[in-house]
């Protein structure tokens, strides 16, 4: 059988499918937020796209412009494939194990979400009839941040000579991706050798990048269990370190080795310092041992699933997909610490390894309510980039901080300003995430040391970006909201509502932390400026149609000809000029609908229902960000079956490769959207103003849904069946919340079982032809 098997706690691919390696290398990627390893085979070949990444490690290159303009960013940043330590080549007699040759009699790979281990079991027969069985296990440690390890075992069917070559390989040859020759040149052998050393069973390589000047070190060490008579050799030079072990193994015997890997990088540390850092990481891994690393990993994941698990009865594939999503979100952020969470995590080179607003708007809500420390660390990274954000605002003639559309270091890397520079809502996303974390986690230290400054500097941006018009409103003109098919508009409702919250939260934070406000030079006049701007914020409304225009005048634009658009012309941005997209009613991804999720307190239930139906007919979901948000609002306004369909789409985006680009890595925001669809959609969870509320309902397609989360330092479980919701306290203090508007307290004891009200019966809204959820499902 070929393809992913359905299982609640693992993802397994049984059978050899070389043409699908580009997909499985992404889905089987392992990471901890610091190190990322694509799921390539240990032998190094065949391979779809090799990749080992260190969070924040990049190379610089010039950005391409046909015509330069004032304020355009000049330098791009691209994630680098660092030294590959996954490679363990095997020669059976004198024939290299390569699954493209001989016969692969059995082959399967699987990742266990409870242990964090990628396993492999292969039976291979060489072209001359020599048969061996290879079993491997691979892990990237959550507890020892700089460490990864591989357990590799070969069992021959006959008496045979085996030769193992365990490598550290820098500057792996990779086919250029994309059409920009600057990026291709930057990534052509980007690492320059600084140091190489080998001794015993271990080796270290140190390199630096040509342009960015970053330095990285990679080290390996080994434990080998084999019959007597093994010969070994080790050497290191430039881009390669190799341990070679040759031994005669009898039938029924085994050659086993454990390969420990250590990684580090720095913009400032010397070669000796980085070498010492990596050697210390390897010493710690050897001291813990393989069994110890596995035990630590299992304990870490046990704690995570206690806080974050989602159980789904009635759809086995969705159950698997949602746990897959949670596992990869954890991998993206668990040990990122002082680094960003990129749009692809550390699963591939897509988006050049950049972080976007996706992090704060989609990924951080998941981490805030499941693994708060990781959310805090990601926000600390944003705080660390305030100098670049302030400088960017200054270049644009504004005050405060203008956070970048896409970046690795905090400097703007987008060469297309309508969808980059003009998307000021990125700054509101940072503020929203900071306010959410502070409210959900009651973290006064973060609020005082980081959060208040983020809120103040983003509030200053809005105060300088908008203006009071002669009609008494505060306008924000010439910006791009989340929908990139409607760029450089006036009074984008999402942007204005998020800016409004940003301004009010900043004023409140200054009230909580007057000493911080004083240090930042916030005056009473400035506070009054923020309050007045928030109170007078312009929120357009179309009285004729009874809906909010996505931005001023949007509902007056010409309709897009969906009936006349062939299905093979999606995504539209690849087949139609932006000029045509920008001036018509066609929506790439949830924009006004996202506003109704994050600022649901600014809309009436009637407005939400009308807005949702209007924008469903115009949203084509050419972005993976959209389905999760549409699921949330579909559930809220009563379209539970549609919400289910959108949850499935969000959860299956990568497993089914719905956008044909999983080769370049997984979509972290879409994976997070699956969580939002379940928790905020079916669970009805909202956190407006830091107050948690629930309004759960279950679609007919499912029999039961249960989810766990952390709120106000309490761990709780919410279980939804057709007619009842059950709230259970797991740990921490009591939690005051509400169920469909009824105040409740979740506290230790048997829990609360409450009836679920009837769902309103509304006609299912229509989507553009061919863009219905499920129409692209494979």
């Amino acid at each position: 059988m070929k393809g992913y098997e359905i299982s609640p706690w693992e993802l397994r691919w049984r059978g050899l499918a070389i043409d699908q390696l580009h997909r499985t290398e992404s889905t089987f990627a392992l990471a901890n937020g610091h190190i990322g390893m694509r799921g390539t085979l240990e032998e190094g070949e065949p391979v779809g796209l090799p990749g080992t990444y260190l969070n924040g490690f990049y190379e610089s290159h010039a950005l391409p412009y046909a015509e330069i303009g004032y304020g355009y960013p000049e330098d791009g940043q691209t994630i680098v494939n660092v030294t590959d330590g996954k490679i363990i080549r095997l020669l059976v007699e004198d024939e290299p194990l390569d699954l493209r040759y001989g016969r692969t009699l059995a082959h399967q790979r699987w990742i266990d979400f409870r242990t964090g281990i990628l396993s492999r079991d292969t039976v291979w027969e060489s072209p001359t009839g020599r048969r061996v069985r290879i079993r491997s296990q691979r892990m990237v440690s959550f507890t020892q941040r700089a460490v990864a390890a591989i357990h590799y075992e070969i069992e021959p069917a006959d008496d045979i000579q085996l030769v193992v070559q365990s490598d550290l390989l820098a500057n792996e040859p990779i086919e250029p991706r994309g059409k920009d020759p600057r990026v291709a040149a930057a990534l052509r052998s980007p690492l320059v050798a600084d140091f190489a050393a080998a001794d015993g069973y271990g080796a270290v390589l140190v390199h630096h990048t040509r342009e960015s000047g970053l330095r990285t070190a990679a080290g390996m060490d080994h434990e080998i269990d084999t019959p007597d008579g093994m010969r070994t050799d080790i050497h290191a030079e430039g881009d390669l370190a190799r341990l070679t072990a040759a031994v005669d193994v009898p039938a029924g015997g085994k050659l086993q080795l454990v390969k420990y890997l250590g990684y580090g990088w720095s913009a400032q540390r010397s070669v000796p310092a980085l070498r010492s850092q990596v050697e210390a990481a390897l010493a710690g891994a050897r001291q813990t041992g393989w069994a110890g690393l596995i035990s630590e990993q299992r304990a870490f994941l046990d704690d995570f699933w206690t806080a974050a698990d989602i159980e789904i009865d009635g759809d086995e594939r969705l159950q698997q997909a949602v746990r897959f999503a949670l596992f990869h979100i954890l991998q993206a952020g668990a040990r990122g610490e002082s680094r960003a969470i990129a749009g692809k995590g550390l699963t591939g080179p897509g988006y050049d390894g950049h972080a976007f607003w996706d992090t704060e708007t989609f990924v951080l809500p998941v981490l805030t309510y499941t693994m708060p420390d990781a959310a805090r660390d990601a926000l600390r990274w944003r705080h660390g980039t305030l100098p670049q954000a302030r400088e960017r605002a200054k270049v644009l003639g504004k005050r405060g901080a203008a956070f970048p559309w896409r970046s690795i270091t905090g400097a703007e890397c987008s060469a297309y300003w309508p969808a980059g520079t003009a998307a000021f809502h990125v700054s509101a996303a940072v503020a929203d995430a900071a306010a959410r974390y502070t409210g959900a986690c009651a973290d006064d230290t973060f609020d005082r040391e980081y959060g208040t400054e983020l809120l103040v500097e983003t509030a200053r941006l809005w105060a300088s970006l908008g203006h009071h018009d002669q009609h008494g409103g505060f306008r924000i003109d010439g910006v791009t909201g989340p929908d990139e098919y409607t760029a450089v508009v006036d009074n984008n409702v999402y942007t204005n509502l998020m800016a409004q919250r940003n301004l009010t939260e900043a004023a409140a934070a200054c009230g909580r932390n007057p000493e911080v406000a004083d240090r930042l030079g916030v005056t009473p006049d400035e506070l009054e400026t923020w309050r007045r701007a928030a109170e007078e914020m312009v929120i357009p409304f179309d009285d004729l149609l009874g809906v909010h225009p996505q931005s001023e005048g949007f509902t007056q634009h010409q309709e897009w000809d969906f009936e006349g658009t062939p299905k093979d012309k999606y995504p539209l941005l690849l087949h139609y000029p932006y000029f045509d997209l920008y001036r018509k009613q066609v929506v790439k991804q949830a924009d006004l609908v996202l506003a109704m999720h994050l600022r649901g307190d600014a809309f009436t239930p009637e407005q939400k229902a009308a807005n949702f139906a209007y924008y469903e007919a115009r949203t084509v979901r050419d972005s993976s960000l959209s389905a999760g948000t549409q699921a949330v609002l579909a559930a809220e306004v009563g379209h539970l079956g549609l919400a289910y369909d959108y949850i499935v789409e969000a959860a299956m985006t990568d497993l089914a490769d719905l956008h044909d680009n999983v080769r370049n890595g997984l979509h972290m925001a879409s994976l997070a959207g699956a969580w939002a669809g379940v928790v905020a959609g079916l669970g009805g969870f909202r956190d407006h103003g830091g107050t948690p509320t629930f309004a759960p309902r279950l679609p007919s397609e499912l029999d039961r849904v249960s989810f766990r989360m952390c709120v106000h330092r309490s761990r709780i479980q919410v279980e939804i069946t057709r007619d009842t919701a059950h709230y259970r306290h797991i740990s921490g203090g009591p939690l005051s919340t509400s169920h469909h508007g009824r105040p409740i307290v979740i506290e230790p004891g048997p829990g609360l079982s409450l009836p679920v009200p009837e769902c309103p019966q509304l006609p299912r809204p229509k989507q553009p032809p061919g863009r219905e959820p499920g129409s692209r499902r494979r």
Side-chain angles (χ1 to χ4, degrees):
M1 185 180 83
K2 183 176 95 171
Y4 299 118
E5 296 183 4
I6 300 174
S7 178
W9 281 105
E10 68 178 24
L11 184 73
R12 184 183 297 259
W13 185 289
R14 193 185 301 273
L16 180 62
I18 292 174
D19 63 326
Q20 296 299 311
L21 285 176
H22 64 288
R23 289 175 57 196
T24 57
E25 287 165 356
S26 293
T27 55
F28 287 146
L30 295 179
N32 64 5
H34 173 57
I35 304 169
M37 293 181 163
R38 284 176 60 79
T40 50
L41 297 168
E42 282 83 9
E43 295 78 34
E45 296 180 15
V47 63
L49 180 66
T52 300
Y53 311 106
L54 296 179
N55 196 347
F57 192 84
Y58 69 95
E59 181 61 306
S60 302
H61 57 85
L63 287 173
Y65 295 105
E67 297 182 16
I68 196 66
Y70 177 79
Y72 283 18
E74 296 180 0
D75 295 320
Q77 301 162 0
T78 298
I79 194 170
V80 171
N81 176 32
V82 298
T83 306
D84 189 353
K86 303 186 299 294
I87 298 173
I88 303 175
R89 305 186 195 276
L90 173 64
L91 281 81
V92 180
E93 294 293 348
D94 59 351
E95 296 178 297
L97 190 154
D98 187 324
L99 300 185
R100 293 169 294 189
Y101 303 98
R103 290 197 303 156
T104 301
L105 304 177
H107 178 71
Q108 59 177 318
R109 304 181 81 199
W110 65 99
I111 192 165
D112 188 322
F113 309 140
R114 292 165 297 188
T115 63
I117 304 299
L118 173 64
S119 301
R120 175 254 190 109
D121 192 344
T122 302
V123 179
W124 181 76
E125 187 176 86
S126 73
T128 56
R130 304 286 189 175
R131 184 177 298 184
V132 292
R133 184 172 190 172
I134 302 95
R135 297 185 182 94
S136 72
Q137 292 182 303
R138 183 187 305 174
M139 58 102 68
V140 174
S141 176
F142 287 122
T143 56
Q144 301 190 31
R145 183 172 181 256
V147 169
I150 301 170
H151 186 282
Y152 192 80
E153 175 183 292
I154 311 107
E155 181 179 349
D158 305 298
D159 297 350
I160 207 166
Q161 183 187 80
L162 299 176
V163 178
V164 171
Q165 297 174 320
S166 180
D167 291 356
L168 293 174
L169 176 63
N171 289 318
E172 283 179 296
I174 297 178
E175 293 182 12
R177 60 182 190 274
K179 298 180 180 179
D180 185 357
R182 298 168 181 82
V183 177
L187 296 181
R188 189 178 301 117
S189 298
L191 300 176
V192 180
D194 290 328
F195 174 82
D199 182 57
Y201 287 172
V204 175
L205 298 180
V206 183
H207 290 77
H208 72 269
T209 51
R210 298 177 188 277
E211 300 299 328
S212 63
L214 305 181
R215 181 168 283 124
T216 182
M220 66 178 180
D221 204 348
H222 299 80
E223 294 174 348
I224 303 177
D225 182 5
T226 184
D228 294 336
M230 179 179 69
R231 292 180 178 271
T232 62
D233 176 70
I234 192 165
H235 72 278
E237 55 179 37
D239 290 347
L240 175 68
R242 172 172 291 165
L243 170 69
T244 301
V247 65
D248 295 324
V249 180
K254 293 179 183 179
L255 169 59
Q256 298 183 82
L257 68 85
V258 176
K259 183 176 188 177
Y260 300 100
L261 296 165
Y263 284 94
W265 76 267
S266 175
Q268 299 179 332
R269 303 190 74 200
S270 66
V271 170
L274 272 179
R275 176 190 179 186
S276 297
Q277 176 184 337
V278 166
E279 288 177 340
L282 289 171
R286 285 288 304 269
Q287 174 65 23
T288 305
W290 173 257
L293 288 172
I294 295 297
S295 177
E296 290 179 355
Q297 194 86 332
R298 180 63 190 249
F300 184 95
L301 284 163
D302 282 348
D303 185 66
F304 171 73
W305 291 115
T306 297
D309 191 24
I310 292 176
E311 299 174 29
I312 296 174
D313 294 346
D315 188 331
E316 293 178 333
R317 184 170 293 278
L318 181 59
Q319 171 70 89
Q320 177 188 47
V322 168
R323 284 194 175 125
F324 169 84
L326 281 166
F327 178 74
H328 275 288
I329 292 167
L330 171 69
Q331 290 200 129
R335 298 302 305 275
E337 296 177 4
S338 60
R339 304 296 171 192
I341 298 175
K344 295 285 189 179
L346 294 170
T347 64
Y351 307 136
D352 288 319
H354 293 166
F356 296 75
W357 68 295
D358 307 13
T359 300
E360 284 78 16
T361 299
F362 298 96
V363 177
L364 290 199
V366 184
L367 294 176
T368 294
Y369 293 110
T370 59
M371 194 177 185
D373 288 353
R376 179 202 61 213
D377 289 342
L379 287 165
R380 288 176 57 207
W381 171 77
R382 280 292 192 191
H383 183 270
T385 68
L386 269 172
Q388 297 99 309
R390 289 190 182 104
E391 179 60 28
R392 184 65 178 156
K394 184 178 179 181
V395 168
L396 298 172
K398 304 303 171 190
R399 296 187 67 223
F403 285 100
W405 173 247
R406 56 188 303 167
S407 182
I408 293 176
T409 65
E412 180 62 80
C413 290
S414 173
Y416 185 62
W417 71 267
T421 296
F424 287 97
H425 67 86
V426 176
S427 294
V430 174
D432 182 58
R436 175 181 295 107
Y437 171 81
T438 299
C441 301
D443 190 339
D444 295 338
T445 301
F446 171 86
D447 186 34
R448 187 171 53 253
E449 297 181 0
Y450 305 100
T452 297
E453 189 171 12
L454 287 171
L455 290 165
V456 165
E457 295 297 354
T458 47
R460 285 172 167 165
L461 174 70
W462 298 116
S464 66
L465 185 64
H467 70 281
H468 294 272
D469 65 18
Q470 60 187 340
H471 303 289
F474 186 81
R475 302 175 57 86
I476 302 176
D477 297 330
V479 301
T480 300
D483 172 28
E484 296 154 32
Y485 285 173
T486 313
V488 195
V489 299
D490 296 341
N491 292 315
N492 170 255
V493 171
Y494 174 86
T495 301
N496 285 19
L497 285 173
M498 297 301 287
Q500 182 184 58
R501 173 175 283 173
N502 192 164
L503 292 161
T504 57
E505 291 283 0
C510 289
R512 292 191 302 270
N513 301 293
E515 71 287 354
V516 179
D518 288 343
R519 175 172 60 82
L520 298 174
V522 179
T523 65
D525 286 346
E526 187 171 24
L527 288 171
E528 180 55 31
T529 296
W530 297 346
R531 294 189 183 103
R532 182 178 167 223
E535 290 168 2
E536 297 179 4
M537 189 69 67
V538 172
I539 308 298
F541 188 78
D542 188 325
D543 291 310
L544 178 64
L545 298 177
V547 299
H548 287 83
Q550 183 171 278
S551 53
E552 202 165 75
F554 179 83
T555 51
Q556 300 171 31
H557 290 179
Q558 184 180 352
E559 297 278 4
W560 184 269
D561 180 12
F562 294 111
E563 293 287 351
T565 303
K567 291 183 180 180
D568 62 0
K569 295 299 183 184
Y570 290 95
L572 299 177
L573 79 164
L574 299 182
H575 301 93
Y576 298 92
Y578 272 119
F579 168 74
D580 210 21
L581 295 169
Y582 285 170
R583 61 198 192 97
K584 293 183 180 176
Q585 291 192 57
V586 55
V587 180
K588 181 182 181 184
Q589 64 200 60
D591 186 308
L592 192 282
V593 173
L594 181 60
M596 294 193 296
H597 175 199
L598 299 181
R599 284 300 318 274
D601 54 334
F603 300 85
T604 68
E606 294 76 19
Q607 288 172 342
K608 290 178 182 178
N611 286 338
F612 182 77
Y614 187 86
Y615 287 97
E616 274 294 283
R618 292 159 179 82
T619 302
V620 296
R621 298 193 320 290
D622 281 349
S623 166
S624 61
L625 301 182
S626 200
T629 296
Q630 288 173 270
V632 172
L633 265 294
E636 180 172 353
V637 301
H639 303 297
L640 294 178
L642 181 59
Y644 164 79
D645 288 341
Y646 278 134
I647 293 168
V648 171
E649 180 173 308
M652 296 300 297
T653 291
D654 291 319
L655 290 178
D657 200 5
L658 297 181
H659 294 264
D660 293 312
N661 58 6
V662 167
R663 165 189 175 87
N664 292 317
L666 306 180
H667 299 79
M668 292 300 123
S670 184
L671 297 173
W675 178 91
V678 173
V679 175
L682 304 185
F685 172 69
R686 298 292 184 274
D687 55 1
H688 302 314
T691 301
T693 62
F694 296 90
R697 284 195 173 98
L698 196 67
S700 61
E701 290 84 353
L702 300 176
D703 301 322
R704 171 184 166 272
V705 167
S706 171
F707 58 86
R708 297 180 174 215
M709 61 191 307
C710 309
V711 191
H712 296 179
R713 300 181 181 176
S714 297
R715 287 185 175 183
I716 64 167
Q717 180 180 37
V718 181
E719 183 180 32
I720 316 165
T721 58
R722 193 79 61 229
D723 304 314
T724 305
H726 185 78
Y727 298 89
R728 184 171 73 88
H729 178 272
I730 298 174
S731 64
L735 177 66
S736 296
T737 180
S738 68
H739 167 82
H740 286 279
R742 170 185 170 183
I744 61 172
V745 177
I746 306 173
E747 55 191 349
L752 293 170
S753 291
L754 300 170
V756 172
E758 288 282 337
C759 183
Q761 297 299 313
L762 299 173
R764 180 165 170 143
K766 304 244 182 231
Q767 295 77 36
R771 309 308 288 174
E772 303 86 353
S775 61
R776 291 171 288 169
R777 200 179 307 159
R778 298 178 180 179

